[in-house]
Amino acid sequence: MSTVPSRTILFEMLRSYIALARTLNMSEAVGLLGSTRQTIRRHIDILEETRGEKLFEVRDRQYQLTKAGSRSLREAEAIIARGESWLTGNAEDFDGRVLVNDEGDPIFCAQKHRLSRLWVDPSPLLQHGFQSWADSSTLLESPALASIRPYLVIYRRHGDAWLCVEIGEKSSYSSWFGWTWAKSSVGCFMVETPAGTSYARFISQAYEEVYEGYSVRLDHIHTQMPRAKDGPLLPVSFQRLLLGCTFPDGEFALAVLVDRTYNLSISGIDEAQIRTMPEALLMAFDPADLETQE
């Protein structure tokens, strides 16, 4: 019978797993951690025994991640990131809300909501997007999604990362970063967003949940991000609808629909903070545009 590892060394074991997974080289992992081969191997053995699945395999003396190892890596990194933020007093999580303050700047605030919230804090754009998704039977190329397609950003899962395959010209991404940058972002991974890796990691944590269930998720988010690479941080408030779809080849497609708005409900975040986003950055959306496209 396996023994659940002590919580006092869980972080150490996860760090060993992450270091070896990222380098796939034991010597490099030892150097990164200032540890020993024996310690890292012991940590991996305990994790594999506890989980009941192999995380690594060795081929021609080279470490390789198994499918289970690849699948679990992002979650392990999120646990470490959240734990370190909590230890430094820079993270909170209550009532479905997540607040992460990364070394004081920027601040990430998010709250997951039931879909019924679409009609409590109304967003005509997201309401229409949800209805279109339901009518499409999750098929990305369905005519039911045609009217909302220009507002979507679409990702394909690539290993444990998310590859951008389409950015709508009317999407929040396009109007925030500009159409020139948006077009150049197609074919890039989520972590390559001009907002930086910390933002990308925070914003994509919910993607796996939607991927696992081909489901829908609604989040209200207030954070700070630049409008250009290495630019100044600006406050931004938005509702986000994650839609689990299907590419014509049968693979999972993640469609992201965002509405920059003041209609947010995040526990502990008052309206004044939400409205720190300049009014000029609100999404310009007219429901009549969708009717015209239909």
Side-chain angles (χ1 to χ4, degrees):
M1 179 181 296
S2 63
T3 302
V4 176
S6 166
R7 289 171 175 79
T8 59
I9 65 167
L10 178 59
F11 274 21
E12 294 179 26
M13 291 189 295
L14 288 177
R15 288 192 181 95
S16 292
Y17 161 49
I18 293 168
L20 186 56
R22 287 306 181 191
T23 62
L24 295 176
N25 183 290
M26 182 62 76
S27 296
E28 290 185 29
V30 167
L32 283 173
L33 298 172
S35 185
T36 65
R37 290 173 177 267
Q38 292 78 7
T39 297
I40 293 176
R41 288 198 187 101
R42 184 174 71 253
H43 288 168
I44 300 301
D45 288 344
I46 294 173
L47 288 174
E48 290 180 334
E49 181 183 0
T50 302
R51 292 177 62 88
E53 56 187 4
K54 299 292 289 183
L55 300 174
F56 296 92
E57 57 186 5
V58 180
R59 299 177 187 170
D60 299 324
R61 299 182 180 180
Q62 176 68 45
Y63 280 91
Q64 300 289 339
L65 281 165
T66 63
K67 288 184 178 180
S70 295
R71 185 180 63 247
S72 305
L73 179 57
R74 184 179 295 274
E75 183 179 4
E77 289 178 325
I79 290 170
I80 289 293
R82 293 278 294 125
E84 290 177 344
S85 294
W86 181 86
L87 285 172
T88 57
N90 293 324
E92 300 175 51
D93 192 344
F94 60 92
D95 295 333
R97 172 196 172 213
V98 174
L99 167 62
V100 178
N101 186 349
D102 188 2
E103 296 182 357
D105 201 16
I107 295 175
F108 302 130
C109 310
Q111 185 157 352
K112 178 182 176 181
H113 285 290
R114 295 175 179 174
L115 292 173
S116 59
R117 196 81 202 185
L118 283 172
W119 284 266
V120 177
D121 302 298
S123 165
L125 176 60
L126 268 58
Q127 289 172 346
H128 183 87
F130 177 64
Q131 183 63 59
S132 299
W133 175 83
D135 293 341
S136 74
S137 299
T138 78
L139 300 177
L140 187 61
E141 299 302 331
S142 167
L145 283 176
S147 62
I148 208 69
R149 194 73 174 258
Y151 296 89
L152 297 177
V153 176
I154 299 171
Y155 294 93
R156 181 186 287 269
R157 200 166 190 268
H158 189 276
D160 64 345
W162 292 96
L163 182 68
C164 179
V165 298
E166 182 180 320
I167 295 179
E169 68 273 15
K170 294 184 178 181
S171 67
S172 175
Y173 190 107
S174 179
S175 61
W176 182 269
F177 293 115
W179 183 231
T180 300
W181 186 282
K183 287 190 296 183
S184 68
S185 295
V186 174
C188 296
F189 288 100
M190 178 65 185
V191 294
E192 298 173 289
T193 174
T197 55
S198 293
Y199 174 82
R201 184 176 62 226
F202 164 76
I203 213 70
S204 64
Q205 285 178 0
Y207 291 7
E208 294 297 321
E209 175 188 317
V210 179
Y211 170 74
E212 292 295 335
Y214 271 71
S215 57
V216 183
R217 173 168 168 153
L218 173 66
D219 296 296
H220 289 191
I221 298 173
H222 175 76
T223 184
Q224 299 165 319
M225 62 179 181
R227 298 194 70 186
K229 189 174 180 62
D230 300 323
L233 293 172
L234 295 174
V236 57
S237 303
F238 57 95
Q239 292 191 31
R240 176 186 68 177
L241 195 62
L242 302 180
L243 303 166
C245 298
T246 308
F247 284 113
D249 62 6
E251 292 297 315
F252 177 81
L254 178 69
V256 182
L257 182 60
V258 168
D259 181 11
R260 295 196 304 275
T261 175
Y262 294 143
N263 291 339
L264 301 186
S265 297
I266 303 176
S267 300
I269 303 299
D270 60 26
E271 185 176 358
Q273 183 171 344
I274 290 171
R275 287 180 173 270
T276 55
M277 179 180 70
E279 188 173 349
L281 295 179
L282 291 170
M283 289 277 285
F285 169 70
D286 183 352
D289 291 344
L290 298 178
E291 296 173 7
T292 300
Q293 292 179 48
E294 291 174 344

